[in-house]
Amino acid sequence: MPQTHDEASASADAAAQLERKTRSAFSYYRTMAFVTGAMLLVLTLEMVLKYAFNDGRPVLGTWVAIVHGWIYVIYIVTVFNLWSTMRWGFGRIVALVAGGVVPVLSFVMETRAKKWVEADLPVLAARAAARAR
């Protein structure tokens, strides 16, 4: 049975809405991946300077660890939002979460996440359109 104009419009709207939501979730994740990665590098520098050259006394200040901790919490929220929007498996959330605690990994994972989103988004949009019919 052919689709009516309203059914086709609903399918297109559902796919477009999912794409907007996904791109927004990825944009927030991407921003936080860069911020978290940069703060983790600053924290790593602080730890090296503190323990290798300053007898365990802070060099840049105790604020570095506190700021990184709160930024990491926001990063985890953006990871969960992207992961749940994309309906990925558990392994991907573990890899993305690790990006906030392993220096430089957030930059690597952001690149991989972009490829995953670009590969998986058309399939998700097609499913959303099919459900809307």
Side-chain angles (χ1 to χ4, degrees), residues 64-87:
V64 174
I66 295 167
V67 169
H68 170 71
W70 282 108
I71 287 173
Y72 184 69
V73 169
I74 298 167
Y75 172 75
I76 293 299
V77 170
T78 63
V79 164
F80 182 78
N81 183 35
L82 178 62
W83 175 76
S84 62
T85 300
M86 293 302 298
R87 302 176 188 262

Side-chain angles (χ1 to χ4, degrees), residues 1 7 11-12 16 18 24-25 27 34-35 44-45 48 60 66 73 80-81 96 103 111 124:
M1 182 164 128
E7 290 172 336
S11 294
L18 176 73
S24 176
S27 178
F34 283 115
V35 171
T44 302
L45 175 66
V48 168
L60 301 175
I66 295 167
V73 169
F80 182 78
N81 183 35
L96 292 171
T111 302
L124 283 177

Side-chain angles (χ1 to χ4, degrees), residues 9-25:
S9 178
S11 294
D13 288 346
Q17 182 179 4
L18 176 73
E19 185 168 348
R20 277 192 306 274
K21 182 179 177 183
T22 301
R23 294 204 183 280
S24 176

